[in-house]
Amino acid sequence: MDINKQLELYQFEKLNQALFNNHPDAIYILDLEGNFTMVNEVVCQITGLEREQIIGKSFEPLVRAEDLAATIERFLMAIKDMPQRYETAIITKEGVKYIDITNFPLKVDNEIVAIFGIAKDITEKKQKEHELEKYANLLKAQNAELEVFRKIIAHDMRSPVAKAIGLARLLEENKIPDEKVDGVKYYLRKTVESIDTMVRDLNEVISLKYKGMEFKTDVVINDLLNRFVALFSNEIKKLNASVTIKAAPDVSVSTIGAYLESIIRNLISNALKYHARHRPIEIVIEAAATYDGVEISVKDNGIGMDLTKVSGDIFKMHKRFAPDLAEGNGLGLYIVQQQVKLLNGNITVESKPDQGTTFKVFLPR
Amino acid sequence: MLKRIYVIDDDEISLYLSKITVELFDATIDCRCFDDAHKALESLDKDIEKGGQPDIILLDLNMPVMSGFEFLAAIKPMESKLYNKCHIYVLTSSVDEHDRMRVMESGLVVELLQKPLEPGKLEEISKLLPKCQ
């Protein structure tokens, strides 16, 4: 061979060696059975294995189980003279690593004798992708909730506002017959109060999202129930309702007191609101310890509901099922469900039309 | 001239408001209030038979049991009998554009009005009506 040609060959070989050894990515050669015949230093760095542990062995044990079938598929396609570019995952001592692989065949005299591989460690990039996906999902969920808030404002809040305007205008124009004036004033007050309730509930729902981890304390259920029944004593007396508490004095749970109070308050309020008009109100509140927590139930003999029609909707925002009674705005049960979830518990409901409703809240120990 | 008005709304205060507004506009109008659209349908059937269908129906949209939309669908078969005799005004607190578009699909709906009902509006409506039958 001509001396210049020899020099050229020498430079080219040196160049190849430099490329092979200094490239920041893993470069390797696989035989047609998928065994490593040559690896650069980075292959050892990424896998955490010594050269002797890799050479002569198959790539398969390195690959994460759920990615193996697809990776083998890619290798087989490369052997059939189809270059491949794909992502897969390998298991190393440092855990799972995500890699971006290029495979192409090495040909001698037009015959495929081996497969070249270039593998880039994209673990960090993948982690960022996962986080982005997590935030995207969070955003989607929050947008869905925003849409519900928008509907609440467009429909539920506008309704009492329109009524208040109508009533106020009538009073202002002084054209109402005397015997009806008191009625109009009463309705105006009730309407404005219902707007106030709605605004407060909305605020509570929104601020629930921003509460961090509050402190857990041991709450004696019996005490809490008695306290709340006392809170409602005026309304209970006015409605001639009988409220019975059945909770052993030793039943307690470690939980966030404020949330549990809000849950009980909402459930009692509900039971009082949706009472049947033609029979005396009876509410029974029970609390019992279970093997893994506490179950509190609030049972009323009120108007009940047809669960076959409403079951999925009952805890959703702004669904009212007996809107001719009281100023319901439908947020109470949504709040209850959110709080129960925050306490890692769950809530169920049983009900039959005109026979009453029972809510059961389970809280883990 | 308005002789008979139906007001259909599940909310007792809204019904009361509409009724008083109608009374103050013209105390001779027979104003019937329904808190359930089903009951309104039954009454409508009977009134059509007797030739005394309401001139105006003030219809709320957001009602449980039977919504305003469901009521409009239910009276579609009667549309030919009621056309130009019974005019429906959807009276709603909703400010949702979707509702407005859906509602205008009914042949009997003249307009979507926003609550609260204004006496001036009643005057306008009564002037638009063809002369007393």
Side-chain angles (χ1 to χ4, degrees):
Chain A
M1 207 191 292
D2 168 57
I3 185 88
N4 286 319
K5 263 257 155 28
Q6 273 186 315
L7 273 168
E8 227 180 85
L9 204 64
Y10 179 70
Q11 307 281 43
F12 193 63
E13 267 186 45
K14 277 260 180 281
L15 184 67
N16 279 335
Q17 253 181 32
L19 195 70
F20 195 76
N21 290 322
N22 300 333
H23 196 287
D25 294 333
I27 305 188
Y28 55 91
I29 299 179
L30 299 168
D31 65 24
L32 297 178
E33 269 92 59
N35 301 314
F36 288 101
T37 57
M38 248 173 116
V39 297
N40 74 350
E41 191 53 40
V42 180
V43 174
C44 301
Q45 283 167 17
I46 292 186
T47 59
L49 298 168
E50 301 293 330
R51 202 170 241 124
E52 307 83 63
Q53 297 173 284
I54 309 176
I55 300 287
K57 307 258 170 54
S58 161
F59 69 82
E60 289 179 29
L62 291 172
V63 181
R64 185 173 67 169
E66 64 206 69
D67 302 285
L68 186 57
T71 308
I72 292 176
E73 181 70 37
R74 294 289 193 160
F75 175 74
L76 292 173
M77 291 217 270
I79 293 182
K80 294 196 191 121
D81 201 7
M82 287 182 272
Q84 301 291 309
R85 179 75 186 273
Y86 57 99
E87 286 180 8
T88 186
I90 58 172
I91 309 282
T92 71
K93 283 190 204 123
E94 292 164 334
V96 176
K97 285 193 187 171
Y98 294 95
I99 45 180
D100 180 331
I101 296 184
T102 307
N103 286 137
F104 53 96
L106 175 62
K107 289 193 215 171
V108 172
D109 290 332
N110 249 336
E111 200 185 304
I112 299 177
V113 298
I115 299 292
F116 252 120
I118 303 175
K120 202 183 184 65
D121 185 347
I122 53 168
T123 308
E124 207 179 306
K125 185 178 93 143
K126 260 291 187 260
Q127 278 167 348
K128 292 211 176 107
E129 262 173 46
H130 283 156
E131 256 194 70
L132 252 163
E133 203 183 314
K134 202 176 67 171
Y135 280 119
N137 286 334
L138 198 69
L139 255 164
K140 262 187 235 166
Q142 288 192 319
N143 278 344
E145 254 170 0
L146 251 167
E147 174 62 13
V148 177
F149 283 130
R150 185 197 67 81
K151 284 199 182 130
I152 293 181
I153 292 175
H155 295 118
D156 287 326
M157 287 204 73
R158 239 247 112 212
S159 168
V161 168
K163 281 190 278 184
I165 292 176
L167 293 165
R169 278 189 192 154
L170 279 182
L171 284 169
E172 204 180 4
E173 285 159 19
N174 244 330
K175 292 195 210 141
I176 313 171
D178 282 336
E179 71 273 12
K180 297 205 170 151
V181 167
D182 280 343
V184 175
K185 285 184 186 171
Y186 169 79
Y187 278 147
L188 179 57
R189 179 177 62 82
K190 289 298 249 182
T191 304
V192 174
E193 276 173 4
S194 80
I195 299 174
D196 184 40
T197 306
M198 207 176 290
V199 168
R200 282 178 209 243
D201 275 359
L202 252 171
N203 187 51
E204 191 172 343
V205 169
I206 297 176
S207 64
L208 263 177
K209 311 237 145 240
Y210 295 103
K211 280 203 166 91
M213 264 316 284
E214 310 254 355
F215 288 116
K216 285 194 175 180
T217 55
D218 275 323
V219 177
V220 178
I221 309 278
N222 198 20
D223 291 345
L224 188 142
L225 293 177
N226 277 304
R227 241 187 312 134
F228 271 90
V229 171
L231 209 81
F232 281 97
S233 64
N234 273 337
E235 202 169 334
I236 294 174
K237 230 186 296 175
K238 202 169 54 162
L239 293 169
N240 237 336
S242 87
V243 181
T244 318
I245 301 178
K246 295 185 190 168
D250 60 339
V251 177
S252 72
V253 66
S254 170
T255 188
I256 300 170
Y259 285 10
L260 184 53
E261 287 179 11
S262 176
I263 292 167
I264 300 294
R265 182 167 36 85
N266 272 299
L267 289 179
I268 296 181
S269 167
N270 231 59
L272 288 169
K273 215 190 283 182
Y274 296 104
H275 61 269
R277 292 216 167 120
H278 48 272
R279 58 171 170 264
I281 308 172
E282 283 167 22
I283 301 176
V284 177
I285 312 176
E286 288 188 49
T290 66
Y291 75 94
D292 56 349
V294 148
E295 185 180 90
I296 305 170
S297 70
V298 178
K299 180 183 157 102
D300 66 59
N301 64 345
I303 59 175
M305 46 195 156
D306 187 345
L307 284 177
T308 60
K309 285 198 187 148
V310 311
S311 188
D313 288 336
I314 185 176
F315 295 108
K316 294 221 175 93
M317 290 200 260
H318 101 299
K319 283 281 178 194
R320 289 180 291 137
F321 298 105
D324 55 308
L325 300 177
E327 327 75 38
N329 58 11
L331 286 179
L333 285 179
Y334 175 76
I335 295 176
V336 167
Q337 191 190 41
Q338 292 301 301
Q339 290 171 326
V340 169
K341 273 194 203 158
L342 281 165
L343 296 179
N344 288 323
N346 66 31
I347 181 166
T348 57
V349 60
E350 290 156 20
S351 185
K352 281 210 174 76
D354 203 36
Q355 287 184 32
T357 306
T358 306
F359 283 100
K360 289 195 182 147
V361 174
F362 166 77
L363 297 174
R365 214 169 279 293
Chain B
M1 206 181 98
L2 296 169
K3 280 194 274 188
R4 177 169 287 159
I5 296 183
Y6 277 15
V7 186
I8 309 176
D9 194 322
D10 64 299
D11 181 78
E12 78 169 305
I13 300 181
S14 292
L15 283 175
Y16 183 81
L17 250 172
S18 294
K19 194 169 165 88
I20 280 207
T21 306
V22 170
E23 271 176 28
L24 288 173
F25 169 68
D26 180 351
T28 67
I29 299 177
D30 175 24
C31 180
R32 303 238 192 108
C33 295
F34 301 93
D35 64 357
D36 184 336
H38 280 128
K39 298 187 200 149
L41 270 175
E42 284 169 25
S43 182
L44 187 61
D45 267 329
K46 293 198 198 122
D47 281 342
I48 291 178
E49 258 175 65
K50 293 187 248 162
Q53 68 279 340
D55 306 296
I56 308 277
I57 298 183
L58 298 173
L59 175 67
D60 183 24
L61 285 179
N62 191 16
M63 301 184 281
V65 187
M66 186 185 226
S67 74
F69 293 111
E70 287 165 342
F71 177 83
L72 288 173
I75 58 170
K76 241 192 164 36
M78 303 184 233
E79 238 171 70
S80 47
K81 273 190 245 166
L82 293 169
Y83 193 68
N84 244 353
K85 297 199 183 124
C86 177
H87 308 79
I88 301 185
Y89 287 83
V90 171
L91 183 62
T92 176
S93 56
S94 166
V95 293
D96 197 318
E97 187 54 32
H98 294 143
D99 288 345
R100 177 192 297 271
M101 295 195 304
R102 267 180 81 188
V103 138
M104 295 312 284
E105 285 168 22
S106 159
L108 293 172
V109 173
V110 180
E111 205 184 325
L112 184 140
L113 301 176
Q114 248 172 38
K115 290 181 182 172
L117 176 67
E118 288 166 52
K121 195 72 200 173
L122 277 173
E123 177 143 10
E124 207 182 291
I125 293 174
S126 71
K127 286 203 183 122
L128 284 173
L129 249 46
K131 296 278 183 281
C132 258
Q133 287 102 346

